[in-house]
Structure formats: C-alpha cells, structure tokens
Amino acid sequence: MTLTGVVGESIGLLSGLILAAEQVAEKAAEESSGGLFDLDATLPVIAIQFLLLVAILNVTFFKPLTQAIDERDNYVRGSLAEAKERLRKSEELARQYGQELAAARRGAQDALLQAQAEANKLRNQQIAAAMAEGQTKVDAAKAEIEQQRQAAAEVLNTEVEVLSQQILRKLLGDLVNA
C-alpha cells in the first residue's frame, strides 16, 4: 500500500470517528441540562478521538517524517565524516608536499653553491695559469731585453773603441803613426 492510500484511508476512518463522536456528543448534550463543565460521555469520546488521531498521525505522518529526518541526519553525518577524512588526508598531503618542496629547495641551493664553488675554483685556476704564463712571458721578455742590451753594449763598446781610435789618430795622427 502506498503512503497516499494509507493517508486517504486514515482520513476516511478519522472523519467517520469524528461524525460518530459528534452524534454521541449531541445525544449527551440533549439529555443533560448543561453546565459549564459537564462531565458526561463526550469526554471519553473526545479522549478516544484524540488518541486515535495521534495513532493515525504517528503511522501515516510522524514515522515516515522521522525516518526521512533520520536518513537525512545519517547522510549528513556520513558526509561530514567523509569530508573530515578528506580534509585530514589533504592536510597530510599538503604537509608532505611542503616537506618535499623544502627538501628540493635545499637540494637546489646546495647544487647552486657547489656549482659556484666549482666555478670559483676553475676561475682561480685559470687566473693562476694566466698569471704564470704572463710571468713566463715577462721573464722571457726581460731575458731578451737583457741580451739585446748586452749585444747593444758590445756593439757600442766596439764602436766607441773604433771612434776613439779614429779620434786619437786624427788628433795625434802623427804621433800615433810614428
């Protein structure tokens, strides 16, 4: 049976009970002289009507509503627990990725420092080699200059001797020849 069928049947039964209760109440009202509070057969009929209405509403309305609310509550709780678990996992992954990133940065920094140290070492070696080559060239140039100076000095000494001999001959020409 569907929910609408149960509700329709319950409404029909309820309306029948209400009509019966009204008829009993009318008969009781006709028989009594009526005060403000007449405690006659209408009170138990109204109490029975109320209890029947509560029972019918409980079966047709409150139980399905409560069940739907409970299902929704369970769904929300499950979704919340799943969301918390996902949040925990994402935070764990973020922490792990942060550590990996920091390690990668440290590695890159170490590699950069090592490359700079190697570059400085190579530069210093090249500078030292260039300085040694320069010093060798300077020494070779000094030696060549010294040789040229000595050769020039020898040439000048011979020329000075020849010139001094010529000067002596011209000045003392007769005395030197004799």
Side-chain angles (χ1 to χ4, degrees):
M1 217 186 232
T2 64
L3 183 62
T4 56
V6 171
V7 170
E9 214 175 279
S10 300
I11 291 174
L13 181 62
L14 184 61
S15 62
L17 286 174
I18 291 173
L19 287 174
E22 286 179 4
Q23 289 174 357
V24 170
E26 284 178 12
K27 284 183 185 177
E30 290 174 1
E31 295 174 358
S32 68
S33 61
L36 185 57
F37 292 106
D38 285 334
L39 296 177
D40 51 7
T42 59
L43 183 61
V45 170
I46 292 176
I48 290 171
Q49 281 180 341
F50 178 74
L51 291 176
L52 283 174
L53 178 65
V54 168
I56 291 170
L57 284 176
N58 190 26
V59 169
T60 60
F61 182 70
F62 293 127
K63 277 189 182 178
L65 182 64
T66 305
Q67 183 181 7
I69 290 172
D70 288 343
E71 288 174 0
R72 179 69 180 160
D73 186 48
N74 289 337
Y75 173 75
V76 168
R77 287 179 195 265
S79 296
L80 184 61
E82 185 179 332
K84 284 182 181 179
E85 181 63 24
R86 286 184 181 175
L87 178 64
R88 185 193 62 76
K89 284 181 181 178
S90 66
E91 287 173 348
E92 178 67 25
L93 283 174
R95 185 188 58 78
Q96 181 182 359
Y97 290 153
Q99 289 174 348
E100 290 175 4
L101 181 62
R105 283 182 181 164
R106 283 191 301 271
Q109 185 69 24
D110 291 345
L112 180 65
L113 290 175
Q114 184 178 4
Q116 284 178 344
E118 288 177 11
N120 286 339
K121 182 179 176 183
L122 181 61
R123 185 191 68 196
N124 290 338
Q125 287 174 347
Q126 289 176 346
I127 289 172
M131 298 224 11
E133 183 181 343
Q135 187 62 40
T136 303
K137 287 182 180 181
V138 166
D139 290 343
K142 281 183 181 180
E144 186 179 337
I145 290 172
E146 183 60 29
Q147 285 177 350
Q148 288 176 357
R149 188 189 63 79
Q150 286 177 1
E154 285 178 20
V155 168
L156 284 178
N157 281 339
T158 27
E159 283 185 24
V160 167
E161 250 182 66
V162 169
L163 285 177
S164 47
Q165 287 290 331
Q166 286 176 355
I167 293 175
L168 278 176
R169 271 191 227 146
K170 283 191 180 183
L171 287 179
L172 299 173
D174 293 335
L175 293 172
V176 173
N177 286 337

